[in-house]
Amino acid sequence: MLNRNVKMTAGAYFALAALIFSAVFVLALLVGRYEISLGDFFAMIGLSDGYETERSIVVNLRLPRTAIAALTGVALSVSGLLYQETFQNKLVSPDLLGVSSGAGVGAALAIVAGLSSVFVSVFAFVFGIATVLATLFVSKIFGNKSSLVLTLSGIIVGGCMSAVLSFVKYLADAETTLASITFWLMGSFENSVAGDVWVLLPIVAVCSAITLAISWRVNVIALGREEAQTKGVNYRAYRTLIIMIATLLTAGSVAFAGTIGWIGLVVPHIVRLAAGRDARKTVPLCMVFGATFMIIADILSRCFTASEIPLSAITGFFGTVIFVVILFIRRKTFNECG
């Protein structure tokens, strides 16, 4: 009976989160410098004549941007959850193995070379994945398969990429290129187009589907190597698969949105407060919560000032506040652990 009540509670959370997500998604299509009323929105959907301006704004500008925001929120939240469970550390984020640092280097090199936004995204994606592969290679050199060595390898390679990024910024033109690199690194959906959606959507969809399919194995991997082996699960193979899924999700989101912090750290904590640690419940909830959080952040970034506020500033402010609230709620647990 207890298990049934828990399932019903998780289902209720998911239904409520899905409803809120739908409302926020529609709101994102309505608000902006050119506001569209709800009546005009439904008339436009009904293909009524006389709404060409509204239809153009929604279809060409706001819909791709909001879709990218939702996909980015899903990617960062799920990758953050996977890293936290796999490394048995609730304080790690999607940048644990240096993917964001590597992506930043790739994007900066493309911007300095004067390449188009398409190549900026491609360079960011490739360099992000290459950085994680370098991290795995470094950990293999040490001949130790523990999560701690892999984490330390990520710190080493990520620090190296950060140094390279600083050098690239030093070489960049201070009047133009440096500003573009800095703004990209702070995160934005300003330049999102429909083509970006069709590239990022398959990455997020496939990785999310695989994650849902192996969610019960994520639970086993989170228990550690010895426990996984006693249950007949190939710990090394599944840990590598989970790391690659999280890497693809993070690299894909960073390639199209820049570096956005806190989402991958905070959302998994919120989800665990609502549904516990069962990945079969937390993974789908992370998808919906993350997408909603990211869309709200995008709305705030573009609606309150003449120029857009960087997404990292929005997510950083609200992320810290939410994290303080989470710590306050879980203070008894921390006191018991201490």
Side-chain angles (χ1 to χ4, degrees):
M1 185 67 179
L2 179 61
N3 290 335
R4 184 179 179 183
N5 289 335
V6 171
K7 290 180 180 179
M8 290 177 63
T9 302
Y13 276 123
F14 184 82
L16 178 61
L19 183 62
I20 295 174
F21 166 75
S22 301
V24 170
F25 193 95
V26 173
L27 178 65
L29 301 180
L30 300 179
V31 299
R33 293 184 180 86
Y34 185 94
E35 292 190 4
I36 300 174
S37 67
L38 194 59
D40 290 344
F41 178 74
F42 284 115
M44 178 197 71
I45 293 178
L47 301 179
S48 299
D49 295 332
Y51 294 93
E52 286 76 14
T53 301
E54 290 82 357
R55 188 174 292 110
S56 177
I57 291 173
V58 169
V59 174
N60 298 325
L61 299 178
R62 293 180 185 171
L63 183 58
R65 178 179 184 138
T66 305
I68 287 290
L71 292 171
T72 300
V74 171
L76 292 177
S77 300
V78 172
S79 61
L81 176 68
L82 292 177
Y83 276 132
Q84 289 175 13
E85 296 295 346
T86 302
F87 289 91
Q88 298 175 302
N89 187 337
K90 302 302 179 288
L91 296 179
V92 302
S93 65
D95 193 31
L96 176 66
L97 302 183
V99 59
S100 295
S101 301
V105 171
L109 289 173
I111 292 172
V112 169
L115 302 178
S116 66
S117 59
V118 174
F119 285 100
V120 172
S121 297
V122 171
F123 271 55
F125 183 78
V126 171
F127 271 74
I129 293 177
T131 302
V132 174
L133 293 177
T135 297
L136 295 173
F137 177 75
V138 170
S139 67
K140 190 173 182 180
I141 291 177
F142 288 114
N144 191 314
K145 301 176 183 178
S146 69
S147 296
L148 177 60
V149 170
L150 185 56
T151 302
L152 292 175
S153 300
I155 293 173
I156 293 170
V157 176
C160 180
M161 288 296 103
S162 296
V164 173
L165 178 60
S166 296
F167 186 70
V168 174
K169 291 168 70 175
Y170 169 75
L171 296 176
D173 186 275
E175 297 292 330
T176 56
T177 312
L178 181 59
S180 298
I181 294 173
T182 302
F183 187 76
W184 187 93
L185 291 173
M186 291 189 293
S188 174
F189 299 121
E190 185 176 8
N191 298 318
S192 299
V193 295
D196 297 340
V197 178
W198 297 118
V199 174
L200 185 58
L201 178 61
I203 297 174
V204 176
V206 172
C207 290
S208 298
I210 295 174
T211 304
L212 288 170
I214 65 170
S215 57
W216 73 271
R217 291 181 177 85
V218 174
N219 289 332
V220 177
I221 298 300
L223 297 176
R225 181 188 299 273
E226 294 181 0
E227 189 69 24
Q229 290 175 345
T230 59
K231 294 182 180 296
V233 174
N234 189 327
Y235 178 83
R236 184 179 180 183
Y238 276 104
R239 188 185 72 161
T240 302
L241 175 61
I242 291 170
I243 289 173
M244 294 313 299
I245 290 172
T247 299
L248 286 172
L249 287 172
T250 305
S253 63
V254 173
F256 290 104
T259 306
I260 303 173
W262 287 96
I263 294 288
L265 176 63
V266 171
V267 172
H269 281 275
I270 297 174
V271 169
R272 277 192 290 266
L273 281 176
R277 287 192 58 185
D278 188 349
R280 291 171 295 182
K281 302 182 183 69
T282 55
V283 170
L285 279 174
C286 259
M287 294 177 183
V288 183
F289 271 82
T292 304
F293 196 115
M294 198 72 259
I295 293 175
I296 292 174
D298 181 48
I299 292 173
L300 294 174
S301 73
R302 61 184 169 87
C303 289
F304 290 97
T305 58
S307 59
E308 292 197 11
I309 303 173
L311 286 170
S312 289
I314 301 293
T315 58
F317 177 78
F318 285 99
T320 51
V321 172
I322 292 172
F323 206 67
V324 168
V325 173
I326 292 172
L327 290 177
F328 181 78
I329 294 173
R330 300 293 297 272
R331 65 189 184 282
K332 292 183 179 179
T333 303
F334 296 130
N335 289 336
E336 291 173 359
C337 293

